[in-house]
Amino acid sequence: MSLNKSLIERDLAVLWHPCTQMKDHESLPLIPIKRGYGSYLEDFDGNKYLDAISSWWVNLFGHSNPYINSKLIEQVQNLEHVLLAGFSHENAIRLAERLIKIAPKNLTKVFYADNGSSGIEVALKMSFHFHKNRGEIKPLFISLENSYHGETMGALSVGDVSLYKEVYNEIIIKSIQTPVPKDQRLESIYEPLQKLKELLEKHKNNVSAIILEPIVQCAGSMHMYNSEYIKEVKKLTEEYKIHLIFDEVATGFGRTGKMFASEYAEVSPDFMVLSKGLTGGYLPLSAVLLTDDIYREFYCDYGSGKSFLHSHSYTGNPLACAVANASLDIFENENILEIIQPKIKLLTELLEKFKNLKNVYNVRQTGLIGAIELKNYKLEDRIGLKVYKYGLEHGVLLRPLGNIIYFMPPLSISESEIHEMVQVGFDAISSLNK
Amino acid sequence: MSLNKSLIERDLAVLWHPCTQMKDHESLPLIPIKRGYGSYLEDFDGNKYLDAISSWWVNLFGHSNPYINSKLIEQVQNLEHVLLAGFSHENAIRLAERLIKIAPKNLTKVFYADNGSSGIEVALKMSFHFHKNRGEIKPLFISLENSYHGETMGALSVGDVSLYKEVYNEIIIKSIQTPVPKDQRLESIYEPLQKLKELLEKHKNNVSAIILEPIVQCAGSMHMYNSEYIKEVKKLTEEYKIHLIFDEVATGFGRTGKMFASEYAEVSPDFMVLSKGLTGGYLPLSAVLLTDDIYREFYCDYGSGKSFLHSHSYTGNPLACAVANASLDIFENENILEIIQPKIKLLTELLEKFKNLKNVYNVRQTGLIGAIELKNYKLEDRIGLKVYKYGLEHGVLLRPLGNIIYFMPPLSISESEIHEMVQVGFDAISSLNK
């Protein structure tokens, strides 16, 4: 029996995989990975796969990156973990300093958590608690239609992808969704803004915050919209005295061509939530950046009962903070935000030819995120699954979102790897017409 | 300026610590840790602290353990991460196999998440979803009074420590709390069982699951209760066809003297949630173990809409799984569950003398968890804070829960370190009388 096959059997006997209908694996290949290097993953039978989705949008500088590895090894030999309540360590401090330095202005404090969902929960709880500390009960949150903010019940409640949310409606709190601009054109922002104003007017005393993914709703079919919308939302949040939360879990750390997607709007939120690429794709960690205004509202005598007592055991884990700092080192030392610009241009050029395919509805791109939306397929065709299989058979890991084929490779991807990745995507989509 | 002091200044300028009123740090020392080894943490000025609380109940085999380090280093040089949807890796498979082997019987599948809270959310969502797949809407969960299950909104909603929960009442779902037996005596289980029966009779068609921390409610003042209660709860969950969820996030992995606390009751739940010690205290990871009955209810054609599509980007992270396997290696190779028995006995002996202190209300112990409850202090006295400071000044990290001084050291603690730890705890409590 091949090594792959033996591991697959063992796997299917004990594991329930995330975001997976396990019955699919009766026909779909499950792939046990032995090692990773650069943009590639290699299975136990020696097959290689170009990781065109950065292993769920986390990897930035290639798998098993020697520099990041060296920093992890250095850290573990000194300190693997210490609780962050009452205690601290250098990598947690240094990471917070650096995040604040590169973040939109006015974000001056960092609260750590373990994953994107937990980070979103911190922001939501803190925003609600802030208003409560001021004597106001504002139990509503507004989010965009088609948004995705994670899977724990608070994060899920502000999401709007029905595939993940609908079945749990009875066990999550109610939130309000407002229309997202329907495309990247400036003119598509006005109607949604009007709707948002009406919502705010109606609920103004009950809303703690608006949460949004700036310019790209990744899990929401890689939907992209104009950054001017965010500028206007910022004005509204100021007018109505509610918080603005940016979920940059997926869009942060260079994916969009800038360090943070919100830079396109030149807007500072009250909260910014980071995860995924934060550790270069190594370890779960999230960081919630927030303003001094918020921090000060909680800063008072313990007896006042206004403390934010949220915690996770591994908050600010030294190993995760060490690799996050190593990842920021690479951004600085290798001028990553400049180096990726020609790659982004190349992707733009290569995406052109998809527009001529008769089953392509729309091609869109922001930075190193490229998405191709197919048309004339029904959900039950599971066309994405066919593209996924085609990709694997041809050495490229694509994981379409329904009818959306997308690329979100590591920032370290080479130009020739971009060619390979896009060509296999093109062939996969073309093959559907045959 | 001392290195400590310089780091403290940098820290307080940028970090918001978990479960902390930051104003406390105007007088309370914040301690930057440089390195850890064995049971000790060492700060940048060379002061050492015996970690009597295993850094929030996570560390099992000492800080920066050479064997676990070696396994982490081995893993990172091969594969730092790969998404677990459609893909797998050997350490995730092997860990699941081993957890199933040591877990209560009938737990045959493993679903990974990133921290205790996320693991609890998986169990709650899966339980609710299970019933919904069968056509039943059961939006209620029952948990024990004084319970703690985490901080994300779903996990928080089934907790009952008002310090963490009360302020968020308007943004979490309602759940039902049932009395916990008031102490470890067998006779204290009957009244709570009667109450639980009444609750179940009243809500029987609306309850998905009962969730509990077996025999020790750690964050709930280290409250301990008789394992017979759990046996009876198990019978009730079978009678009323609802799920039983064991939260062994804090109690798992030897803390109670057995691998899992539920072994005292010899009861198999429908779900068991593990985290904290799962990775030996190195990295955030959680595992939800569940029965074949549950797994099969979701196993069907994708089109049926019954899939459990929960995910976190770092689900089953290879680095976290590698250290978790290394930790299980140590359990096996070093016969840990036998080796800790004399340490538990020693702790029992040493706890005796606390009973003579006039400010001690109660002394209780389960395995290597020992707790001393003080009396005649008011909450606003913040007596725990005084003990915490005393401990630090005398080289022992104690972090009382209000009026409860407790010990939960690494399993690898030596007998002389137990003497040191308990003596400082004793002196701290004695000093309060002066």
Side-chain angles (χ1 to χ4, degrees), chain A residues 11 17 26 76 84 88 299, chain B residues 11 17 26 64 84 88 299:
Chain A
D11 180 298
H17 290 257
E26 290 179 7
V76 80
L84 204 72
S88 191
Y299 192 93
Chain B
D11 181 298
H17 289 256
E26 291 179 5
S64 201
L84 205 70
S88 191
Y299 192 93

Side-chain angles (χ1 to χ4, degrees), chain B residues 238-370:
Chain B
E238 285 175 342
E239 185 183 337
Y240 287 92
K241 293 186 171 35
I242 61 180
H243 292 136
L244 179 58
I245 304 171
F246 283 170
D247 175 348
E248 293 240 18
V249 169
T251 54
F253 299 102
R255 298 282 180 207
T256 65
K258 294 185 185 281
M259 188 55 101
F260 301 111
S262 62
E263 292 174 31
Y264 285 96
E266 295 176 321
V267 159
S268 287
D270 300 287
F271 295 92
M272 181 165 76
V273 183
L274 303 173
S275 189
K276 286 192 184 275
L278 172 58
T279 59
Y282 270 61
L283 285 169
L285 175 70
S286 55
V288 183
L289 280 68
L290 49 105
T291 65
D292 241 36
D293 259 10
I294 292 160
Y295 182 78
R296 280 200 307 268
E297 194 60 45
F298 291 81
Y299 192 93
C300 50
D301 291 329
Y302 185 83
S304 68
K306 293 183 174 183
S307 311
F308 188 71
L309 298 178
H310 188 109
S311 66
H312 299 287
S313 317
Y314 289 94
T315 301
N317 174 253
L319 301 174
C321 289
V323 294
N325 272 314
S327 178
L328 291 181
D329 290 346
I330 295 176
F331 269 107
E332 287 174 16
N333 298 339
E334 300 183 20
N335 252 326
I336 297 298
L337 292 171
E338 279 178 39
I339 278 177
I340 58 173
Q341 300 310 322
K343 300 181 190 180
I344 293 169
K345 262 194 203 135
L346 174 61
L347 182 61
T348 309
E349 288 160 24
L350 296 177
L351 286 175
E352 267 303 307
K353 65 177 173 178
F354 287 82
K355 294 176 183 168
N356 303 323
L357 289 173
K358 66 173 192 247
N359 53 348
V360 168
Y361 170 71
N362 174 269
V363 177
R364 48 189 180 262
Q365 183 189 4
T366 300
L368 267 176
I369 309 171

Side-chain angles (χ1 to χ4, degrees), chain A residues 7 10-11 13-19 21-23 26 30-33 35-36 41 55-56 58-59 63-64 69 72-73 76-89 93 96-97 100 108-112 114-115 117-118 121 124-126 128-129 132 137 139 151-154 163 167-168 170-171 173 276 279 281-284 290 295 298-302 307-315 317 319 382 388 397 399, chain B residues 7 10-11 13-19 21-23 26 30-33 35-36 41 55-56 58-59 63-64 69 72-73 76-89 93 96-97 100 108-112 114-115 117-118 121 124-126 128-129 132 137 139 151-154 163 167-168 170-171 173 276 279 281-284 290 295 298-302 307-315 317 319 382 388 397 399:
Chain A
L7 280 163
R10 287 173 56 194
D11 180 298
V14 295
L15 273 187
W16 188 343
H17 290 257
C19 205
Q21 170 50 256
M22 292 302 293
K23 192 166 192 292
E26 290 179 7
L30 176 72
I31 302 176
I33 294 300
R35 67 187 189 112
L41 295 162
S55 277
W56 265 349
V58 301
N59 190 283
H63 290 285
S64 201
N69 286 1
L72 178 69
I73 292 167
V76 80
Q77 285 165 342
N78 286 312
L79 178 70
E80 85 303 340
H81 186 68
V82 61
L83 81 164
L84 204 72
F87 291 78
S88 191
H89 59 90
I93 299 168
E97 291 171 338
I100 288 167
T108 55
K109 290 286 187 294
V110 175
F111 192 100
Y112 290 117
D114 298 332
N115 56 19
S117 292
S118 304
E121 302 260 347
L124 297 176
K125 285 174 68 180
M126 213 182 254
F128 174 79
H129 198 159
K132 204 164 196 178
I137 312 280
E151 294 290 335
T152 53
M153 290 188 205
L163 182 67
V167 67
Y168 306 108
E170 293 86 357
I171 56 168
I173 56 163
K276 286 193 183 275
T279 58
Y282 270 61
L283 285 169
L290 50 105
Y295 182 78
F298 292 82
Y299 192 93
C300 49
D301 291 328
Y302 186 83
S307 311
F308 188 70
L309 298 179
H310 188 107
S311 67
H312 299 287
S313 319
Y314 289 94
T315 301
N317 173 253
L319 301 174
R382 302 192 72 187
Y388 177 68
L397 162 50
R399 191 181 155 92
Chain B
L7 280 163
R10 286 173 57 195
D11 181 298
V14 295
L15 273 187
W16 188 342
H17 289 256
C19 205
Q21 170 50 257
M22 292 302 293
K23 192 167 193 291
E26 291 179 5
L30 177 71
I31 302 176
I33 294 300
R35 66 187 190 111
L41 295 162
S55 278
W56 265 348
V58 300
N59 190 282
H63 290 286
S64 201
N69 286 1
L72 178 69
I73 292 167
V76 80
Q77 285 165 343
N78 286 312
L79 178 70
E80 86 301 341
H81 186 67
V82 62
L83 81 164
L84 205 70
F87 291 79
S88 191
H89 58 90
I93 299 167
E97 290 171 338
I100 288 166
T108 56
K109 291 284 186 294
V110 175
F111 192 101
Y112 290 118
D114 298 332
N115 56 19
S117 292
S118 304
E121 301 260 347
L124 297 176
K125 285 174 69 181
M126 214 181 254
F128 174 78
H129 198 158
K132 204 163 195 179
I137 312 279
E151 293 290 335
T152 53
M153 291 188 206
L163 183 66
V167 66
Y168 305 108
E170 293 86 357
I171 56 168
I173 57 163
K276 286 192 184 275
T279 59
Y282 270 61
L283 285 169
L290 49 105
Y295 182 78
F298 291 81
Y299 192 93
C300 50
D301 291 329
Y302 185 83
S307 311
F308 188 71
L309 298 178
H310 188 109
S311 66
H312 299 287
S313 317
Y314 289 94
T315 301
N317 174 253
L319 301 174
R382 301 191 72 187
Y388 177 69
L397 162 50
R399 192 180 154 91

Side-chain angles (χ1 to χ4, degrees), chain B residues 356-360 374-377 383 426-434:
Chain B
N356 303 323
L357 289 173
K358 66 173 192 247
N359 53 348
V360 168
L374 305 185
K375 63 184 171 189
N376 300 331
Y377 298 106
I383 206 72
F426 184 83
D427 293 343
I429 294 172
S430 306
S431 76
L432 299 172
N433 285 328
K434 283 166 194 162

Side-chain angles (χ1 to χ4, degrees), chain A residues 76-83 87, chain B residues 31-44 46-55 59-66 282 391-392 394-398 408-424:
Chain A
V76 80
Q77 285 165 342
N78 286 312
L79 178 70
E80 85 303 340
H81 186 68
V82 61
L83 81 164
F87 291 78
Chain B
I31 302 176
I33 294 300
K34 184 178 179 185
R35 66 187 190 111
Y37 47 93
S39 305
Y40 290 91
L41 295 162
E42 187 179 313
D43 70 20
F44 281 79
N47 304 302
K48 297 194 308 174
Y49 308 91
L50 202 173
D51 188 354
I53 61 160
S54 303
S55 278
N59 190 282
L60 295 180
F61 302 118
H63 290 286
S64 201
N65 177 292
Y282 270 61
L392 292 180
H394 294 80
V396 177
L397 162 50
L398 302 164
M408 201 193 288
L411 306 185
S412 58
I413 191 170
S414 71
E415 299 213 346
S416 69
E417 289 164 354
I418 292 175
H419 278 281
E420 178 191 353
M421 168 182 87
V422 175
Q423 187 61 47
V424 171

Side-chain angles (χ1 to χ4, degrees), chain B residues 376-389:
Chain B
N376 300 331
Y377 298 106
K378 284 169 288 186
L379 261 182
E380 55 266 36
D381 292 341
R382 301 191 72 187
I383 206 72
L385 202 60
K386 289 176 188 159
V387 170
Y388 177 69
K389 283 181 182 173

Side-chain angles (χ1 to χ4, degrees), chain A residues 346-390:
Chain A
L346 174 62
L347 183 60
T348 310
E349 288 160 26
L350 296 177
L351 286 176
E352 267 305 305
K353 65 176 173 180
F354 286 82
K355 294 176 182 168
N356 302 321
L357 289 173
K358 67 174 193 249
N359 53 348
V360 169
Y361 171 71
N362 174 269
V363 177
R364 49 188 180 262
Q365 184 189 2
T366 300
L368 266 176
I369 310 171
I372 300 114
E373 183 166 350
L374 305 184
K375 64 183 172 189
N376 300 330
Y377 297 107
K378 284 170 289 189
L379 262 182
E380 54 267 35
D381 292 341
R382 302 192 72 187
I383 206 72
L385 202 61
K386 288 176 187 157
V387 170
Y388 177 68
K389 282 182 184 173
Y390 184 98

